[in-house]
Amino acid sequence: MNGFPNCSSNYTNIWNHYLVLALGIPQLTINVASMIFNCTVIFTRLATKDLHKPISILFCNLAVSDLFTSFSGFWIAMLFITNPDITIFGSKDMLAPYALYTTSILSTVYNLVSIGVERYLAVAESMRTRFRVARKHSIAVVFINWVLAFFLGCLPLMGWNCLHGEKSVSVLYSPFCVNYLVFITIPNVVVAFIIPLFTYLRIIIILRKRKLRMKACGQATGTYKSAEIQVARTSIFIWLLALISYAPFFAGVIFDATNHQCHIDLYPGVYIFRNCTAMLITINCLGNPIIYTLKVKILGAKLKALKCLSSNGIRACTIENI
């Protein structure tokens, strides 16, 4: 099945029963907890009718993406517990849950990027009236995110898979092909890290410039300093969570692409690592509701207050200078 010469897929019951339970039960537990958290976020936003705000639509969609990621992770964990060998040598039964898992992760990544961009626009354009992020813009972004995620995530279901033992079969995520994993992972890792880095750094820079401008006008800058600190803290949380959650998976894909060993030679260490990366991704789904619905909500309130403060203060300063 693996496509490597001199390797055989005729192994059965190579997993230790206790090791399967030690890895599978925590996966199930974390996925269930994540589903509960994200369902709570979704129902709360629907019940409070908070979806008229553009950022709330993105938050709710992030929770939906994380919910699907946790559900597909739960599905994969159940398959691992009931028949762990198919997670090594691959099976048609793994194709659908892996495709759903990929689609959900991609949607989560695109939503995180969209939230970063929306926050940047909210701050950068708070002094202008030429463009505002409206509800229809958020809905369009959500639609595009899901279309792109479904297309890329479902490519294995459309035929880009290694069910028939091609040489490029993944040893970690069989029956996926290594070239598909590389194609999906590398561009999206760049998107997930570079764009949020730019947006949050730009927000901090903009707030600092406005603070200095307000200070030059003799206005109070305490609110700006508070918002700047809040943005910096939130950005650090976001980056650390993303780094801890996705960097091990990225390292696993790189290892997969350069590996020339047989499946049986990698057992158990590499496959324990693979299962741990899945738990880390679920922890990201568990942490997103906390970071984005609590910390960013507080930040949003501060930024909203800054619009009036900045607009009134700078206008007064301009009149005084004239």
Side-chain angles (χ1 to χ4, degrees):
M1 184 73 184
N2 53 47
F4 292 109
N6 303 320
C7 289
S8 172
S9 61
N10 295 322
Y11 295 98
T12 56
N13 300 322
I14 69 170
W15 279 95
N16 179 279
H17 178 68
Y18 296 104
L19 180 59
V20 170
L21 293 179
L23 292 172
I25 292 178
Q27 280 184 263
L28 292 178
T29 304
I30 296 174
N31 280 294
V32 169
S34 179
M35 285 190 284
I36 293 173
F37 265 69
N38 284 287
C39 282
T40 302
V41 171
I42 295 170
F43 290 142
T44 300
R45 292 198 173 274
L46 291 176
T48 56
K49 298 181 180 180
D50 198 30
L51 294 180
H52 64 281
K53 302 176 183 178
I55 190 62
S56 295
I57 295 174
L58 297 179
F59 285 155
C60 189
N61 190 53
L62 177 64
V64 172
S65 300
D66 287 337
L67 177 62
F68 276 108
T69 301
S70 303
F71 171 76
S72 54
F74 181 87
W75 187 3
I76 293 170
M78 286 297 297
L79 291 174
F80 172 73
I81 291 176
T82 56
N83 190 3
D85 290 340
I86 66 172
T87 64
I88 292 182
F89 303 113
S91 167
K92 189 175 181 180
D93 294 335
M94 297 299 299
L95 203 55
Y98 272 160
L100 178 60
Y101 195 55
T102 305
T103 300
S104 304
I105 291 176
L106 289 175
S107 179
T108 296
V109 169
Y110 299 150
N111 270 281
L112 293 177
V113 172
S114 300
I115 289 171
V117 173
E118 194 279 341
R119 293 290 81 190
Y120 166 71
L121 292 176
V123 175
E125 301 297 332
S126 63
M127 294 289 295
R128 309 172 191 174
T129 57
R130 290 182 300 173
F131 177 78
R132 300 287 185 190
V133 178
R135 186 172 180 270
K136 63 180 180 180
H137 297 135
S138 291
I139 293 174
V141 167
V142 168
F143 176 76
I144 293 172
N145 285 347
W146 275 110
V147 169
L148 185 59
F150 267 113
F151 174 73
L152 295 176
C154 292
L155 285 176
L157 296 177
M158 301 176 191
W160 193 353
N161 61 68
C162 293
L163 278 172
H164 303 294
E166 288 84 349
K167 284 187 176 181
S168 61
V169 65
S170 168
V171 295
L172 293 180
Y173 302 99
S174 180
F176 276 8
C177 300
V178 171
N179 50 15
Y180 168 75
L181 289 173
V182 171
F183 169 76
I184 288 296
T185 303
I186 294 180
N188 287 291
V189 165
V190 173
V191 168
F193 285 94
I194 298 300
I195 295 181
L197 173 65
F198 169 79
T199 56
Y200 286 111
L201 284 179
R202 284 293 300 162
I203 289 173
I204 294 173
I205 292 171
I206 290 171
L207 291 177
R208 180 159 296 184
K209 286 182 177 179
R210 290 183 185 173
K211 182 181 70 175
L212 294 175
R213 195 181 306 172
M214 295 289 290
K215 189 175 182 180
C217 295
Q219 302 290 327
T221 60
T223 307
Y224 270 96
K225 184 176 180 180
S226 176
E228 184 181 335
I229 293 173
Q230 186 67 38
V231 170
R233 287 178 178 174
T234 304
S235 302
I236 291 172
F237 280 128
I238 292 169
W239 264 78
L240 286 179
L241 184 62
L243 182 65
I244 293 171
S245 301
Y246 290 106
F249 171 76
F250 178 73
V253 171
I254 298 300
F255 169 82
D256 206 350
T258 58
N259 172 66
H260 298 288
Q261 293 179 278
C262 299
H263 299 74
I264 195 66
D265 297 328
L266 301 175
Y267 174 85
V270 171
Y271 293 102
I272 293 175
F273 173 79
R274 179 202 62 188
N275 283 43
C276 289
T277 61
M279 284 189 277
L280 289 174
I281 290 174
T282 306
I283 289 174
N284 180 75
C285 298
L286 192 58
N288 281 338
I290 298 173
I291 290 180
Y292 284 95
T293 60
L294 296 181
K295 290 187 174 296
V296 178
K297 185 176 182 180
I298 296 172
L299 175 60
K302 289 180 178 291
L303 294 178
K304 185 176 181 180
L306 289 179
K307 291 182 181 181
C308 295
L309 175 64
S310 175
S311 184
N312 295 335
I314 292 176
R315 187 180 297 112
C317 182
T318 303
I319 294 173
E320 182 179 341
N321 289 337
I322 292 175

